[in-house]
Structures are given as structure tokens and as C-alpha cells.
Amino acid sequence: MTDESPILTSRDGAVGLITINRPTTLNALDVPTLLAMERALGDLEADDGVHVIVVTGAGERAFVAGGDIADLDSRQGLSHYLDFAEVIHRVFRRFETCDKPTIAAINGWALGGGTELVLSLDIRIAADSAKFGLPEINLGLFPGAGGTQRILRQIPQCRSRELVFTGDQFTAAEAVAWGLVNRAVPKAELMADVMATAHKIAAKSPLILKLTKRTLRHGAEMPLGASLAYEQAMIGLVLDSRDAHEGCRAFLEKRKAAFTGQ
């Protein structure tokens, strides 16, 4: 993709990087950008050499500052708004259900759709200067890209409701304290920290990463009894894999495992 594309992709070994590339709009999301994100994700999902996917924003100021308000205001008729809602829901769900672990490198503002995208990704590492929020209520809207539902499931409901009702912004330190973000680091160290984490995960068996993520994702949406039965079935698959036997042999032989994804 060219530097003019709304989405840039690159590879660093087994780590794929998706960069939202609209810095003049603070990486605001419109339908073309969302569709380009979906294509980029599909390409990285299909690449067997990619084990982990990192998402970040271009420029110094924003991860994603939200939806493109000018684009939303230009839409006329319910069908046009529904088109946007369908696309953004589908794309965020694609990130959430991707079999490969995902990491958010939150380099600046993550407001509205930016916070909602963060909620869809597995691991979240933020610059200590990053700001978050769901300010849609101030525009006569509400967080409709999965935000009202995912945030209720990820931090206490009383906190979630206050954030949605007030539209107040919150800091990276607050996001860490509430469990919404894994950690906050100095901005100059953000990408080094993210990539170190990504490469650490990418060194694991891609097959076991996939089955583990499925177990975590589906289990979280089930009652405990059903999720335990699901886990039992999945670990049966894992134990029969070549990578599980390789990992056990490597441990016994005191060497590094050579996983093949089988």
C-alpha cells in the first residue's frame, strides 16, 4: 500500500502491523478506512508467517480520535447510518474474533471509535500521554460500535455507565487502574515495548495460540459449566498436536522448542 492509503501494513518477522493512516483527521474512521482495515486484517490472517497483529495510528497525536464526524453528518437517511453501523460492527468483531493475538499500540487520542477499537483487541499498551473516552453522548449519540456492550463486560458496570453517560475523557493511568489497558509506558518507548511483547508471543506455537484464543473468547461468552466443558474438549485437541509433543520434549531435553504450527 502507498503512504496515501488510509491503512498501511508491514511485517516484522512473525508480527504484522496495521497502521491507521489518516493523521490529518487524527485517524478518524470512515467507511473506506474501515473496509481497508478489514482487507488488511484478512491479508494478515491468511498469512501463515504472521502470528501476532499489532494495530496503531499514524502521526504523533492520535491512535483513533473517533468516527469521522463530517462523514457521519453528511449522511442522509436511516439506511446510510445503518450502512456505517453495519460496517464498523463487522470490522471490530473481525478483530475481536481473529484467531491471531492482537495488540493495540495506543500512541495518542483514543476517543469514541478509538476506545471501541481498543475494546476489541486482546492486549492494550498505551503511551502514558494517551487519552481515552466515549464522548458520543455530547454529540447526541451513544457508543454504537460495540462500546456500550464491551465496556460493560470489561470494567465495573458503575464505572462503565458513568463514562458512557458523561462522555468524560480519562487518562492512560486511569485506564490501567480500571483494567482497560495492560500498561502505560513513556511514549518514546511505546513501539519497542509493543514489539517486544508481540515477538515474545509470536515465538509460541501458532496453532496453540489459535486454539487458546478460541478457548478464551468462546469461554468468556458461556456459563462456567459450559466453558469448562469447552476447555476440556479444546485441550484434548491441543494434547494431540505435534507442537504439544515438541514443547514437552524440548522441556525434558532442556532446549528451545521448534514449533511448526501442527
Side-chain angles (χ1 to χ4, degrees), residues 163-209:
L163 293 173
V164 172
F165 290 156
T166 65
D168 287 348
Q169 293 179 14
F170 52 97
T171 65
E174 289 172 317
V176 172
W178 300 337
L180 192 66
V181 167
N182 293 70
R183 58 186 172 276
V185 300
K187 188 169 185 176
E189 300 172 14
L190 175 64
M191 290 310 297
D193 189 301
V194 167
M195 295 306 289
T197 302
H199 282 294
K200 182 177 183 179
I201 296 169
K204 317 302 182 187
S205 162
L207 173 64
I208 308 308
L209 285 173

Side-chain angles (χ1 to χ4, degrees), residues 110-134:
L111 302 177
T115 288
E116 291 175 292
L117 176 57
V118 167
L119 292 169
S120 302
L121 301 174
D122 294 319
I123 295 172
R124 302 89 181 255
I125 303 172
D128 54 12
S129 57
K131 294 290 196 307
F132 301 82
L134 296 167

